[in-house]
Amino acid sequence: MDFVKSRIAFGIIFLGAGIAAAALPTRETSDEGRALFFKARQAATKSLREEQLTEAVGATEKESKRNPKDPDTRFWHLVALNELAQHRKNSWSLRTIKRLETELSGFARSYPTFAFAGGFRSLGELYHASPRFISVGSTKKAEDCFRRALVLAPEFPGNHIALVDLLWNDGRVHEAKAALNNLLKMNGWLERHYGEFEPLKPEWEAKVKRWAGL
């Protein structure tokens, strides 16, 4: 009798584990879409950049629909879509930017530390790059997002650089210098490994070299 009970109990546990595993999304990496996104950032012409960004959006959207609960695929789809919207600068962009504000806000709330606070950083980039008055563009909102990202992930150079870029473009040179110094105090920051964001290192290095002459 005890043997039968133990077999039943084992079967229930095994079945429960199977159901739990089935509930998890199949892990499909967003390598293809992410690679296309970074490739587009290096495109030699505007038309080629738009073509590659469009491909990146399509690939990441496909991956996101396949794994809707996976924050990685969702994150890179939103990032690629924002980049394409900012590149096109047309009526489609305005509609997309408004939708992205809602979706990135929700992502940041759900996954505040994911991708080195990527939700807040990407939302800040949306506010920073978008038009004022006719769209959601706001220097204040962008700065708030970048500072929030810095609180959550101060070890990530991209958060520092996003804030320096905003302050510099806003003409706040002394504040930009202070923000840059905070990055430079991180000894060996460029030699550290930042996972999926490694392709951004040349951009970071070029910007910091330019700002170093402020």
Side-chain angles (χ1 to χ4, degrees):
M1 189 66 176
D2 290 339
F3 174 77
V4 173
K5 288 181 178 179
S6 66
R7 295 290 292 178
I8 293 173
F10 178 79
I12 292 173
I13 293 172
F14 183 79
L15 178 61
I19 292 172
L24 294 173
T26 303
R27 177 65 180 176
E28 295 284 348
T29 65
S30 52
D31 288 349
E32 179 188 359
R34 187 168 59 249
L36 286 166
F37 168 75
F38 285 125
K39 184 179 179 181
R41 291 176 71 94
Q42 305 299 324
T45 65
K46 288 184 177 181
S47 59
L48 180 59
R49 179 181 174 85
E50 180 168 354
E51 178 184 332
Q52 292 173 344
L53 281 173
T54 302
E55 291 177 1
V57 168
T60 53
E61 182 177 26
K62 182 179 179 180
E63 292 160 359
S64 183
K65 286 181 177 179
R66 186 184 299 131
N67 288 319
K69 295 182 180 180
D70 181 10
D72 188 60
T73 56
R74 185 62 181 156
F75 173 74
W76 286 105
H77 175 60
L78 294 175
V79 168
L81 191 58
N82 183 31
E83 193 88 3
L84 180 60
Q86 302 298 345
H87 176 81
R88 285 185 174 173
K89 301 182 186 303
N90 56 18
S91 58
W92 173 85
S93 297
L94 294 177
R95 294 192 302 273
T96 302
I97 287 169
K98 187 61 180 174
R99 176 164 60 87
L100 277 170
E101 180 186 26
T102 300
E103 296 191 25
L104 280 170
S105 296
F107 185 92
R109 287 193 301 270
S110 298
Y111 307 99
T113 61
F114 184 83
F116 301 103
F120 286 105
R121 184 176 59 256
S122 298
L123 183 59
E125 290 169 351
L126 178 80
Y127 287 131
H128 188 201
S130 297
R132 276 60 174 163
F133 306 113
I134 63 171
S135 189
V136 302
S138 168
T139 299
K140 183 182 184 305
K141 288 182 179 180
E143 183 176 348
D144 288 344
C145 288
F146 293 149
R147 292 193 183 279
R148 180 71 180 275
L150 270 171
V151 169
L152 292 168
E155 76 282 7
F156 185 61
N159 293 336
H160 292 268
I161 289 170
L163 180 60
V164 176
D165 195 38
L166 178 143
L167 295 171
W168 169 245
N169 289 334
D170 201 37
R172 296 150 65 182
V173 177
H174 293 297
E175 292 179 69
K177 283 183 179 180
L180 179 60
N181 285 335
N182 287 335
L183 171 62
L184 298 179
K185 288 176 184 176
M186 295 166 47
N187 292 329
W189 66 270
L190 195 59
E191 286 71 41
R192 298 176 192 173
H193 187 70
Y194 300 103
E196 299 172 339
F197 298 93
E198 286 292 298
L200 292 178
K201 279 185 174 180
E203 292 183 30
W204 294 345
E205 186 176 19
K207 285 186 174 182
V208 169
K209 284 183 177 178
R210 186 174 78 248
W211 290 328
L214 290 176

